[in-house]
Amino acid sequence: MHLTNSTTIVTARHRSLLRDAALALGCAALFGLLASLVTGHWLPLTRFDQEWIGELHLYARDHRAWTAAVQTLSDIGGTVTMRTLLGIAAGWLWLIGARVLAGWVAAQTLVGWGAQWALKLAFDRGRPSFTDPVSHAGGPAFPSGHAMASAITCAVLVGLLWYRVHRRGRTAACLVAAATVLTIGWTRVALGVHWPSDVLAGWLAAGMVLGSVTAAIQLWRPGALARDVRRVNWRTRPRVQRVIVSGGRTDETVH
C-alpha cells in the first residue's frame, strides 16, 4: 500500500514537471517562430499588423470618448497594477507560512519583468507611428509588456484559486482571467501603441516564464509547492471546520 501511494505521488510529480516543461518549451518554440517572422519582415504578417493597427487607429481618432475608455482599461491593466497584485499575493502567502509558494509568485513577477525587458532590448522593434497618435508609450514594442504581465498575473491568480474552489468556480476564474488578458492585449493594439504580433509575443513569453519558473522550483524543491497548497487550504479553511477536523484527528489518535 505504501509503495503504491509513493509511486502515485512520484508519477504525479513527474507529470506536473513534464507539463510545465512542455509549456515553457512549446511557447519558446512558437515565440522563436514569431520572432523570426517579425525580424524577417514576413509580408503576410506585416500586412496583418498594418491593417489591424490602421483600422483601429482611424476609429480611435474619430471616437474620442471610446478612446478614453480604452485608455482607462489599459491603464488599469498596466504592468504596475499586475505586479502589485502579485506582490500582495506573495506577501500574504509568506505571512501564512507558504514560503515556497510565495517565492514562486515572487519569481514569476521578477523573472517576467526581467525577461520582458531582455526580449524588448534584444529585438528593439519600433512601435507603430502616426502623425496624429491617440496614445503614447515608450520603449521597444516586441513583446508587449502589458500582454505579458497580465497573462502571468492572471495565470498565477487562477493557479492560487484552483484548489480553493469547485468546478464552477474554476470555470468562472478561467473565463474572467481569459477575458482580462484578451481585453488588455486588445487595448494596446486599439490605442496604436503595439502591433498585434507584439501582443501575441507577450502571451507566448508569459507561457515561457510560467512554465520555466514552475519547473525550476519543482526541480529545486520537489513536492514543496503541493505541500504549500495544502497549507494554504488549511490556513484559509473556516475556523469552525478546522476545529472539527482537528478534534476528529485527536479522537483517532487516542483510539
Side-chain angles (χ1 to χ4, degrees), residues 6 76 83 186:
S6 177
I76 292 173
R83 289 174 186 139
W186 174 79

Side-chain angles (χ1 to χ4, degrees), residues 57 65 80 83 196 212 221 227:
H57 174 71
V80 174
R83 289 174 186 139
S212 59
R221 296 287 299 274
R227 288 193 295 271

Side-chain angles (χ1 to χ4, degrees), residues 154-244:
C154 289
V156 168
L157 294 180
V158 168
L160 294 177
L161 286 173
W162 192 257
Y163 295 102
R164 296 290 304 145
V165 296
H166 297 296
R167 181 177 298 178
R168 289 184 179 179
R170 293 174 180 177
T171 301
C174 289
L175 289 176
V176 171
T180 300
V181 171
L182 290 172
T183 299
I184 292 173
W186 174 79
T187 63
R188 306 307 287 166
V189 179
L191 292 171
V193 294
H194 274 295
W195 306 102
S197 53
D198 297 336
V199 173
L200 178 56
W203 294 336
L204 292 173
M208 292 163 51
V209 171
L210 288 163
S212 59
V213 169
T214 307
I217 290 181
Q218 291 202 64
L219 288 171
W220 173 52
R221 296 287 299 274
L225 286 175
R227 288 193 295 271
D228 271 3
V229 168
R230 291 193 293 271
R231 181 176 289 111
V232 171
N233 290 343
W234 171 252
R235 293 297 299 271
T236 57
R237 183 180 296 171
R239 182 174 179 80
V240 173
Q241 187 177 357
R242 283 187 297 182
V243 171
I244 293 174

Side-chain angles (χ1 to χ4, degrees), residues 42-207:
W42 189 50
L43 187 57
L45 179 61
T46 301
R47 186 182 300 116
F48 175 81
D49 278 342
Q50 292 176 345
E51 288 178 355
W52 267 87
I53 203 76
E55 292 179 6
L56 286 172
H57 174 71
L58 290 176
Y59 189 88
R61 186 191 61 188
D62 297 335
H63 299 81
R64 293 293 179 174
W66 180 86
T67 302
V70 173
Q71 182 69 64
T72 300
L73 286 174
S74 182
D75 293 340
I76 292 173
T79 56
V80 174
T81 302
M82 294 297 156
R83 289 174 186 139
T84 299
L85 289 174
L86 290 184
I88 293 172
W92 175 73
L93 290 168
W94 184 271
L95 289 175
I96 67 173
R99 303 295 171 82
V100 176
L101 200 55
W104 173 72
V105 175
Q108 297 287 3
T109 309
L110 296 175
V111 174
W113 177 80
Q116 169 196 316
W117 280 104
L119 292 171
K120 280 180 175 289
L121 294 175
F123 292 99
D124 196 27
R125 187 187 194 186
R127 294 179 182 270
S129 178
F130 302 98
T131 56
D132 52 350
V134 298
S135 184
H136 298 275
F142 187 90
S144 165
H146 278 64
M148 188 173 175
S150 63
I152 291 174
T153 300
C154 289
V156 168
L157 294 180
V158 168
L160 294 177
L161 286 173
W162 192 257
Y163 295 102
R164 296 290 304 145
V165 296
H166 297 296
R167 181 177 298 178
R168 289 184 179 179
R170 293 174 180 177
T171 301
C174 289
L175 289 176
V176 171
T180 300
V181 171
L182 290 172
T183 299
I184 292 173
W186 174 79
T187 63
R188 306 307 287 166
V189 179
L191 292 171
V193 294
H194 274 295
W195 306 102
S197 53
D198 297 336
V199 173
L200 178 56
W203 294 336
L204 292 173

